[in-house]
Amino acid sequence: MYELYYWPTIQGRGEFVRLALEQADAEYVDMARKKDGLAKMQALLEGKNGLTPPFAPPFLRDGSVVIGQTAAILFYLGERLNLAPRNNIQRLWTHQIQLTISDLITEVHDTHHPLSVDLYFEEQRSAARRRAKTFREERLPKFLNWFETILDRNESDRHCLVGRSVTYADLSLFQVVEGLGYAFPKAMRRTGRNYPRVATAHGAVGQLPRLRSYLDSDRRFPFNEDDIFRHYGELDA
Ligand SMILES: N[C@@H](CCC(=O)N[C@@H](CS)C(=O)NCC(=O)O)C(=O)O
């Protein structure tokens, strides 16, 4: 039984791990959503039980193994949940894609918190507008173009980023496109149409039966303005 630790009220980075666990039909407990779960999460963060302390949520516990960093968790789970290629080089390539998705997530976060995580959005609004403009006009197209190129070059199956089966990176790309569509609907409508393979891959993942049933369940929290993907009209254009 895997234990997933993440903040209990948002999708956040925990969602990237959740999607992999759900798609694989893995047995797991979302620990912080349980009674006393937050205290257990804190104890692990402080290394109180002798296990390696992760820096921040999300982290995964599998018996005596504790792993932090979203991309590292997915690297660990990918092999075990059959959501990663068998070949080592391909596995590393999948990890590389995931690390780049992590960079993108940080850049999305920084559109609404460009100065400091200690300040509310309203206290850094003007910097946020500038940051979001650069994100929409330069960074977003650069990232989407990179995913489009990878899909286009994958001759085994252009619906998948790597090889011919769904990997955790495909699930994460799905989540990123969902989140971007929520946070930047106008920019995504305008820019998104330049990336047809990304759109097709997103659509295909959204139809995977196990994933779909998770997305339609009450375990899937809605996007909201306390999360990473936030919709502020003034940051979209
Ligand atoms: N690079 C880490 C970032 C982890 C992270 O920033 N976690 C946030 C929640 S999404 C957090 O709780 N951070 C607390 C902190 O950095 O002190 C990852 O990809 O997992």
Side-chain angles (χ1 to χ4, degrees):
M1 174 75 74
Y2 295 110
E3 293 180 359
L4 171 63
Y5 291 84
Y6 192 68
W7 304 112
T9 55
I10 57 169
Q11 295 181 15
R13 287 178 172 89
E15 195 69 9
F16 294 87
V17 182
R18 224 173 262 124
L19 292 190
L21 292 163
E22 292 282 347
Q23 170 58 18
D25 208 13
E27 284 194 35
Y28 78 101
V29 184
D30 221 316
M31 292 298 285
R33 291 186 188 176
K34 301 275 176 205
K35 191 170 175 290
D36 300 330
L38 274 174
K40 287 186 185 147
M41 180 159 106
Q42 197 54 40
L44 282 158
L45 284 167
E46 289 168 17
K48 282 192 174 148
N49 28 25
L51 301 171
T52 53
F55 179 74
F59 59 91
L60 184 87
R61 180 170 180 180
D62 181 15
S64 59
V65 181
V66 179
I67 311 147
Q69 295 286 352
T70 310
I73 299 168
L74 290 168
F75 187 81
Y76 178 83
L77 285 178
E79 191 185 349
R80 288 163 177 80
L81 303 183
N82 207 15
L83 284 171
R86 295 224 170 85
N87 171 293
N88 275 342
I89 300 296
Q90 292 285 81
R91 245 195 346 246
L92 192 58
W93 171 225
T94 312
H95 184 49
Q96 186 187 145
I97 296 171
Q98 190 66 40
L99 285 166
T100 309
I101 289 175
S102 290
D103 290 345
L104 169 54
I105 296 163
T106 299
E107 292 200 24
V108 169
H109 170 271
D110 291 352
T111 59
H112 49 80
H113 277 76
L115 299 182
S116 170
V117 286
D118 291 342
L119 298 173
Y120 289 110
F121 162 67
E122 289 73 16
E123 296 172 293
Q124 44 193 320
R125 194 171 234 153
S126 123
R129 281 172 179 243
R130 283 182 65 181
R131 184 65 177 256
K133 184 174 188 304
T134 310
F135 177 77
R136 288 190 318 264
E137 293 176 2
E138 290 167 33
R139 302 301 289 170
L140 179 63
K142 182 168 180 177
F143 278 106
L144 291 176
N145 186 54
W146 189 69
F147 297 126
E148 184 78 9
T149 304
I150 295 171
L151 288 163
D152 194 48
R153 290 195 188 168
N154 182 12
E155 288 173 3
S156 315
D157 182 343
R158 292 194 170 86
H159 293 82
C160 297
L161 288 161
V162 187
R164 35 178 125 238
S165 312
V166 170
T167 64
Y168 60 79
D170 294 303
L171 304 176
S172 292
L173 179 60
F174 167 82
Q175 172 68 3
V176 159
V177 173
E178 286 284 293
L180 288 169
Y182 174 79
F184 302 102
K186 286 189 191 159
M188 281 302 279
R189 259 197 306 278
R190 198 175 48 248
T191 315
R193 63 174 149 246
N194 298 327
Y195 310 100
R197 292 205 187 283
V198 171
T200 305
H202 168 256
V205 169
Q207 292 311 312
L208 293 170
R210 273 200 299 262
L211 197 75
R212 191 71 255 159
S213 91
Y214 164 66
L215 295 171
D216 293 339
S217 76
D218 56 10
R219 297 195 302 289
R220 167 81 166 181
F221 290 168
F223 289 107
N224 65 66
E225 278 53 67
D226 292 319
D227 209 324
I228 296 171
F229 294 101
R230 301 185 185 193
H231 178 64
Y232 294 120
E234 64 202 277
L235 302 189
D236 189 22

